[in-house]
């Protein structure tokens, strides 16, 4: 679907969607717990649906109850006897795939994983190589699916930490499900460390936290016989800073302040860095620790330097803020973005250029010269973050902004376009 925005405004008050990173982890832990769990989700998208689908295919029962405020309770009845050779449809969710592959390997049930969109092209090494060293084979099929066979044994594991923290999360879960203790050593530079912390937090909530060595590189998992997963009952995953980054950025570049509630200011989410980054740009950022509400107000913005190694998902929206800032912004350390739902370095640059922005690509980032955006057509690239970034850019564009493939927001923020308040002559083209 295409949407054309004509001098739009963003909603003044927004409730942050549930962190899909937290929800993935909690739902997986719940599926292997000793008793049912209830998980409250707000704004669940296609990625969470993929994880639920895969857990159900393995034998969990997940029941959904909708509340009047549009949130959802998911009741998870744990897996009793895992299904053998199940077909797990991961959709386009990299998290679902990379978490579930080692989990299936730990169960020893075998499975075929369906992968859609760009997911078959996203790397699975060094994860699959480490699984192979411990008796598990992962085979790419001609139709884009991935078949996993064999069973992991307890032992000493190692994985490079500079490719994807999702590999580390998958292994932390998998090794916690084995019968005996194992270790996991992280090699190389550790990137996206906050996501590893979220995984440890989810395991801790179910009584299965690994021990972490002082150097931060060695994790010891006791195994399920010593540390079985025990449900805490009802769980409330925190609000999502990566999703909230878009309305927060709207407050920085738009016509009026935007308040986002439902966030945890003590969160381990790396994307909470959006608050400090917006303040560095010059926006006014007010925090209310008691309520979790954050208000961002517009102010003159100036270009800054950004190291994106720990916050790659923020790059598209930070680039929009940079385009509205005076002077130059340099974003580096984001090479992994070329392997996301789109090549996000290229598609972010293309989106800004289409709107009259001045931007250059580098091998691992972008150099952006602030200046007025004129309007034009943003190709959504089937990427939710590019689509939402284009919509925020429309807040300051002098002309109309047309965005293609807007349905991509269903991946993480299905209600996003309900927050855009355009003038009466907005056009929607199916």
């Amino acid at each position: 679907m295409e949407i054309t925005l004509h001098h739009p405004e963003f909603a003044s008050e927004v409730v942050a969607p549930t962190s899909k990173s937290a929800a993935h982890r909690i739902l997986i832990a719940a599926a292997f717990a000793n008793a049912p769990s209830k998980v409250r989700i707000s704004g669940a998208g296609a990625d969470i649906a993929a994880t639920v689908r895969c857990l159900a295919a393995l034998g969990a029962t997940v029941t959904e109850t909708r509340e009047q405020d549009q949130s959802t309770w998911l009741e998870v009845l744990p897996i009793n006897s895992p299904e053998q050779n199940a077909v797990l449809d991961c959709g386009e969710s990299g998290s679902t795939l990379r978490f579930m592959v080692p989990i299936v390997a730990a169960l020893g049930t075998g499975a075929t994983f369906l992968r859609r969109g760009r997911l078959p092209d996203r790397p699975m090494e060094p994860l699959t190589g480490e699984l192979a060293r411990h008796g598990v084979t992962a085979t790419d099929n001609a139709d884009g699916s991935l078949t996993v066979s064999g069973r992991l044994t307890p032992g000493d594991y190692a994985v490079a930490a500079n490719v994807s923290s999702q590999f580390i999360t998958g292994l932390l879960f998998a090794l916690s499900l084995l019968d005996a203790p194992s270790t996991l050593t992280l090699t190389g530079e550790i990137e996206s460390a906050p996501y590893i912390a979220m995984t440890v937090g989810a395991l801790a909530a179910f009584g299965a936290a690994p021990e972490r060595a002082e150097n931060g590189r060695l994790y010891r998992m006791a195994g399920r016989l010593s540390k079985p997963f025990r449900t805490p009952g009802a769980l409330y995953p925190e609000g999502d800073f990566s999703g909230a980054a878009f309305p927060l950025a709207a407050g920085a570049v738009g016509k009026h302040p935007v308040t986002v509630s439902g966030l945890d200011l003590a969160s381990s989410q790396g994307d909470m860095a959006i608050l400090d980054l917006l303040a560095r740009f010059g926006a006014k950022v007010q925090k209310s620790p008691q309520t979790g509400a954050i208000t961002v107000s517009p102010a003159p913005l100036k270009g800054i330097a950004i190291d994106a190694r720990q916050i790659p998902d923020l790059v598209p929206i930070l680039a929009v803020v940079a385009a509205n800032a005076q002077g130059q912004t340099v974003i580096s350390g984001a090479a992994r973005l070329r392997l996301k739902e789109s090549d996000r370095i290229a598609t972010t640059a293309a989106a800004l250029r289409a709107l009259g922005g001045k931007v250059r690509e580098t091998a691992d980032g972008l150099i952006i010269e602030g200046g007025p955006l004129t309007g034009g057509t943003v190709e959504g690239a089937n990427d939710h973050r590019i689509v939402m970034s284009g919509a925020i850019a429309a807040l300051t564009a002098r002309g109309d902004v047309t965005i293609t493939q807007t349905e991509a927001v269903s991946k993480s923020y299905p209600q996003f376009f309900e927050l855009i308040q355009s003038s009466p002559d907005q056009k929607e083209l199916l």
Side-chain angles (χ1 to χ4, degrees):
M1 184 175 73
E2 289 186 357
I3 291 180
T4 297
L5 297 172
H6 176 76
H7 299 158
E9 291 191 15
F10 205 84
S12 298
E13 297 185 0
V14 176
V15 177
T18 295
S19 165
K20 66 173 185 173
S21 297
H24 280 304
R25 290 159 171 80
I26 288 171
L27 289 167
I28 289 170
F32 295 99
N34 63 320
S37 306
K38 292 183 70 177
V39 184
R40 189 178 177 92
I41 304 290
S42 176
D47 281 6
I48 296 303
T51 290
V52 169
R53 201 163 52 233
C54 289
L55 293 172
L58 283 176
T61 299
V62 183
T63 305
E64 178 179 319
T65 303
R66 291 191 177 273
E67 299 289 305
Q68 289 185 345
D69 63 0
Q70 302 304 310
S71 64
T72 298
W73 278 104
L74 297 178
E75 183 174 15
V76 182
L77 276 61
I79 296 167
N80 183 20
S81 178
E83 294 290 334
Q84 298 289 321
N85 299 312
V87 176
L88 308 186
D89 184 356
C90 297
E92 298 183 32
S93 175
S95 295
T96 303
L97 176 69
R98 289 162 166 175
F99 296 172
M100 296 303 301
V101 163
I103 288 171
V104 165
L107 299 176
T109 58
T112 295
F113 294 82
L114 305 184
R115 301 178 291 184
R116 307 184 190 281
R118 288 194 76 195
L119 196 52
D121 301 323
R122 296 176 69 176
M124 289 296 289
E125 283 285 357
L127 175 63
T128 50
E130 187 62 10
L131 296 181
R133 283 185 282 276
H134 291 83
V136 172
T137 301
T139 305
D140 288 301
N141 302 316
D143 63 358
S145 64
L146 178 75
T147 299
V148 173
S149 59
R151 184 168 196 160
L152 292 180
T153 55
D156 297 323
Y157 290 72
V159 66
N162 62 344
V163 180
S164 174
S165 64
Q166 294 169 349
F167 298 157
I168 299 165
T169 289
L171 285 169
L172 288 173
F173 270 110
L175 300 181
S176 298
L177 292 170
L178 298 181
D179 291 339
S182 298
T183 66
L184 175 62
T185 299
L186 310 185
T187 64
E189 185 176 2
I190 299 175
E191 297 189 6
S192 296
Y195 289 105
I196 303 172
M198 290 185 72
T199 303
V200 173
L203 288 168
F206 284 80
E211 295 180 7
R212 180 173 178 260
E214 289 184 5
N215 64 6
R217 292 186 174 276
L218 176 67
Y219 291 84
R220 298 182 179 91
M221 279 62 65
R224 64 175 181 170
L225 296 184
S226 297
K227 280 190 173 182
F229 288 30
R230 298 188 181 279
T231 179
L235 299 107
Y236 301 80
E238 61 189 279
D240 185 28
F241 274 96
S242 61
F246 296 92
L248 292 170
V253 304
K255 300 178 180 67
H256 58 73
V258 175
T259 298
V260 181
S261 59
L263 296 167
D264 181 1
L265 291 173
S267 174
S268 62
Q269 292 181 56
D271 288 342
M272 189 168 65
I274 186 66
L275 304 181
D276 290 337
L277 289 165
L278 291 177
R280 284 179 56 204
F281 272 113
K284 184 178 180 182
V285 179
Q286 297 172 292
K287 307 173 188 177
S288 175
Q290 293 78 17
T291 64
I294 298 163
T295 300
V296 177
S297 304
L301 305 178
K302 62 182 184 303
I304 60 175
I306 300 170
D307 181 345
R309 283 176 294 177
Q310 305 295 342
I311 52 164
D313 286 342
L314 293 181
V315 168
I317 189 57
L318 289 173
V320 172
V321 177
N324 285 277
Q326 183 178 7
Q328 184 181 87
T329 295
V330 178
I331 302 175
S332 61
R336 286 178 296 151
L337 285 181
R338 295 197 183 276
L339 301 172
K340 293 286 189 175
E341 286 85 339
S342 68
D343 176 343
R344 281 191 184 146
I345 291 177
T347 52
T348 299
L352 290 182
R353 289 193 197 102
L355 300 180
K358 298 177 181 179
V359 56
R360 290 189 288 122
E361 292 183 44
T362 65
D364 69 342
L366 299 164
I367 300 173
I368 302 157
E369 301 290 344
L373 298 177
T374 57
T377 298
V378 172
E379 298 295 335
N382 197 34
D383 189 326
H384 55 131
R385 299 196 191 280
I386 301 302
V387 169
M388 290 189 285
S389 296
I392 301 303
L395 298 179
T396 61
R398 293 175 175 175
D400 291 359
V401 173
T402 297
I403 308 167
T404 71
Q405 296 181 301
T406 56
E407 64 275 11
V409 299
S410 66
K411 184 176 178 67
S412 64
Y413 206 155
Q415 296 82 21
F416 176 78
F417 277 101
E418 297 175 14
L419 306 173
I420 301 287
Q421 302 164 346
S422 196
S423 63
D425 58 343
Q426 173 179 335
K427 308 166 190 173
E428 290 196 16
L429 305 174
L430 296 178

